[in-house]
Amino acid sequence: MNPYVNPISLVAATPMTSQKSAQGSGTAWFEAMAQAWGQALDNQAGLIQQKSDAIAGGDDTPSAVTELTTESLRMSFLANSSHTSISTVGQALETMARKQ
């Protein structure tokens, strides 16, 4: 018997049923990953809103504008990363499901 276990097959074989989360609702691990990404994106959007509000409130210094630009670029990075990770895991699960 081969002692090597393919980690992707373990992920694919993980039941899509869930354990109870802190809120008491059931959430599958794939959904939990998507929710974590969503929360990170929401937090970043809140930070951008704060920076934007400061500029709209009169703090239009070059440093404030640079901070807003930096946070906007970080949002772009997070959005691209979330899309890539969710798509990649989804494709891996789809591939494993076809091989079953």
Side-chain angles (χ1 to χ4, degrees):
M1 184 162 159
N2 187 354
Y4 175 75
V5 176
N6 184 347
I8 298 295
S9 66
L10 291 176
V11 170
T14 303
M16 291 308 286
T17 58
S18 62
Q19 297 176 352
K20 295 289 182 182
S21 65
Q23 293 94 1
S25 62
T27 305
W29 67 268
F30 187 72
E31 292 172 13
M33 180 182 70
Q35 288 173 354
W37 272 116
Q39 184 177 12
L41 291 169
D42 287 347
N43 291 342
Q44 187 62 28
L47 188 55
I48 290 171
Q49 185 66 47
Q50 289 174 358
K51 301 287 183 186
S52 179
D53 289 345
I55 290 173
D59 183 16
D60 58 353
T61 62
S63 63
V65 173
T66 301
E67 288 176 15
L68 175 60
T69 303
T70 301
E71 297 304 335
S72 296
L73 290 171
R74 184 177 299 170
M75 177 68 157
S76 176
F77 172 77
L78 288 172
N80 287 332
S81 297
S82 71
H83 172 74
T84 300
S85 66
I86 291 171
S87 295
T88 302
V89 170
Q91 289 171 355
L93 290 172
E94 181 181 346
T95 300
M96 290 307 298
R98 275 190 257 128
K99 292 184 179 190
Q100 293 284 327

